[in-house]
């Protein structure tokens, strides 16, 4: 797990940040670079850890995100074409198991223009909660709670201020914990550890020349989340692109659940499966995963199908 280095503090002007009590809401500026490690403890057999690196330039309407130590490069150019464009350069395994580097693109529209993707949550609506020692570092904890239907999400961001309570903040750790009021349990959680927060280089945002880009492969409803997966993790909207894809999944596989409770359970399994599939595919492996008819099944159900012994830990399937 990465930790921040004191030498990488970016000196930002926090004059425009709004005070909350005797605390100033963290302002990370309009241009920065940061590294992160995404941790999805509930996805896959042993969870997922995925490294990423972000260069963000709001003033010039652009950003770049690299995943898995540069295996995948994503460029979000808000001024490109009419309504912006996302370019993703990624290894793809061909039918003869040879990896080729390809460029895919998603074009913005008038209704949904492309914007630069931040690595940090928008702190509008966050409130100062407490001071807390996190992994040996004294941090401010900022908190926001949202609710939509049965989904109640709690977001927390840990920041440190090396020069005092009014100095520029440095991001340290971010968590989302989702509680489902119908199921009466926490069914979702992910975390991001940040490091190397610094100023962004100016020449890092241009895709390499000479590449011909094509549209992402089907299904088209997955294009946006394939092109910009980070948006679902730093957004504080309780309904993500992944949640919206569950509707397409139900229609494609003609799902009809017996109760609202089963629907919530199955949606939760689907979200974790989708994250696992997409993160694995970004790793540049010699195979690719896909969403199929079993995407809304629990780990226990899938273990039974494979004839495995089911440990108590995963006896969680819907009755």
């Amino acid at each position: 797990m990465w930790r921040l280095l004191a030498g990488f503090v970016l000196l930002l002007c926090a004059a425009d940040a709004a005070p909350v009590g005797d605390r100033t809401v963290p302002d990370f500026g309009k241009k920065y670079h940061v590294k992160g490690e995404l941790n999805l403890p509930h996805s896959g057999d042993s969870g997922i850890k995925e490294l990423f690196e972000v260069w963000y330039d709001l003033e010039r309407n652009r950003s770049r995100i690299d995943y898995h130590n540069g295996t995948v490069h994503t460029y979000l150019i808000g001024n490109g074409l009419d309504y912006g464009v996302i370019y993703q350069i990624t290894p793809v395994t061909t039918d003869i198991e040879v990896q080729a580097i390809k460029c895919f693109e998603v074009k913005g529209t008038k209704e949904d223009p492309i914007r630069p993707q931040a690595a940090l949550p928008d702190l509008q609506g966050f409130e100062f909660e407490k001071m807390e020692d996190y992994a040996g570092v004294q941090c401010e904890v900022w908190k926001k709670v949202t609710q939509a239907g049965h989904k109640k999400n709690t977001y927390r961001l840990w920041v440190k201020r090396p020069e005092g309570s009014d100095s520029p903040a440095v991001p340290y750790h971010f968590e989302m914990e989702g509680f489902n009021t119908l199921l009466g349990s926490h069914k979702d959680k992910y975390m991001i550890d940040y490091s190397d927060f610094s100023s962004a280089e100016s020449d890092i945002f241009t895709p390499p020349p000479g590449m011909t880009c094509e549209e992402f492969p089907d299904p088209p409803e997955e294009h946006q989340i394939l092109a910009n997966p980070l948006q679902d993790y730093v957004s504080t909207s309780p309904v993500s692109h992944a949640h919206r894809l569950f509707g397409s999944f139900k229609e494609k596989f003609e799902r009809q659940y017996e109760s609202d409770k089963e629907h919530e359970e199955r949606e939760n399994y689907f979200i974790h499966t989708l994250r696992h599939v997409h993160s694995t595919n970004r790793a540049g492996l010699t195979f690719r995963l896909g969403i199929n008819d079993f995407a809304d099944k629990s780990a226990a159900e899938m273990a039974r199908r494979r004839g495995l012994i089911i440990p108590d830990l995963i006896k969680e399937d819907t009755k």
Side-chain angles (χ1 to χ4, degrees), residues 23-301:
R23 300 283 174 176
T24 302
V25 178
D27 180 2
F28 301 110
K30 297 181 179 180
K31 185 176 181 179
Y32 58 77
H33 160 264
V34 70
K35 294 180 179 180
E37 181 181 70
L38 173 65
N39 186 350
L40 304 173
H42 294 159
S43 295
D45 295 334
S46 57
I48 289 174
K49 289 187 177 181
E50 182 173 0
L51 302 179
F52 64 87
E53 187 169 10
V54 177
W55 295 263
Y56 178 71
D57 186 356
L58 180 60
E59 291 181 342
R60 300 187 65 176
N61 206 17
R62 59 188 184 171
S63 63
R64 171 180 163 178
I65 308 171
D66 289 359
Y67 298 93
H68 289 286
N69 290 318
T71 300
V72 176
H73 306 280
T74 302
Y75 301 84
L76 297 94
I77 313 298
N79 298 328
L81 305 179
D82 293 329
Y83 300 104
V85 62
I86 301 176
Y87 299 108
Q88 187 174 98
I89 300 172
T90 181
V92 175
T93 302
T94 66
D95 294 336
I96 57 174
E97 297 187 356
V98 175
Q99 279 200 336
I101 303 299
K102 285 195 171 185
C103 178
F104 298 102
E105 68 177 17
V106 171
K107 298 177 181 178
T109 63
K110 183 177 181 180
E111 295 76 22
D112 191 16
I114 300 301
R115 304 293 187 196
Q117 177 60 54
L120 302 161
D122 181 350
L123 294 185
Q124 182 176 0
F126 276 71
E127 297 182 352
F128 175 75
E129 182 182 20
K130 59 185 176 181
M131 295 295 299
E132 180 175 86
D133 184 275
Y134 185 86
V137 176
Q138 188 67 15
C139 294
E140 295 178 6
V141 182
W142 292 80
K143 175 183 174 182
K144 180 178 181 178
V145 179
T146 64
Q147 184 157 359
H150 301 296
K151 299 175 181 63
K152 181 179 180 181
N153 291 350
T154 300
Y155 303 88
R156 287 184 173 91
L157 178 68
W158 282 254
V159 303
K160 65 176 184 179
R161 299 185 193 258
E163 299 177 14
S165 61
D166 293 328
S167 68
V170 176
Y172 197 69
H173 181 77
F174 178 60
E175 285 188 6
M176 191 289 293
E177 188 169 50
F179 182 83
N180 191 294
T181 57
L182 179 62
L183 303 177
S185 62
H186 291 89
K187 286 293 183 179
D188 197 9
K189 185 174 184 178
Y190 53 81
M191 298 161 282
I192 298 175
D193 284 303
Y194 293 107
S195 69
D196 296 294
F197 186 69
S198 60
S199 58
E201 303 172 36
S202 297
D203 59 353
I204 202 74
F205 299 94
T206 304
M211 298 198 73
T212 301
C213 298
E214 57 190 76
E215 287 190 356
F216 277 89
D218 288 339
E221 58 268 18
E222 288 188 39
H223 288 181
Q224 186 65 238
I225 196 170
L226 285 171
N228 185 18
L230 189 59
Q231 62 184 325
D232 269 12
Y233 298 114
V234 299
S235 170
T236 56
S237 169
V239 181
S240 65
H241 280 83
H243 287 94
R244 288 190 283 272
L245 286 175
F246 186 55
S248 301
F249 170 84
K250 290 187 297 180
E251 182 177 351
K252 179 178 180 179
F253 293 104
E254 300 180 344
R255 289 292 198 265
Q256 292 184 350
Y257 303 117
E258 294 183 356
S259 65
D260 289 344
K261 182 178 181 180
E262 184 187 6
H263 182 278
E264 295 292 319
E265 287 276 13
R266 297 300 178 185
E267 183 182 48
N268 179 66
Y269 298 144
F270 173 83
I271 296 301
H272 294 315
T273 299
L274 185 75
R275 291 172 180 168
H276 174 72
V277 165
H278 286 175
S279 181
T280 300
N281 290 342
R282 286 192 295 273
L285 304 176
T286 56
F287 62 89
R288 293 185 67 81
L289 303 179
I291 297 298
N292 58 26
D293 187 45
F294 302 112
D296 63 344
K297 304 301 182 184
S298 71
E301 289 171 313

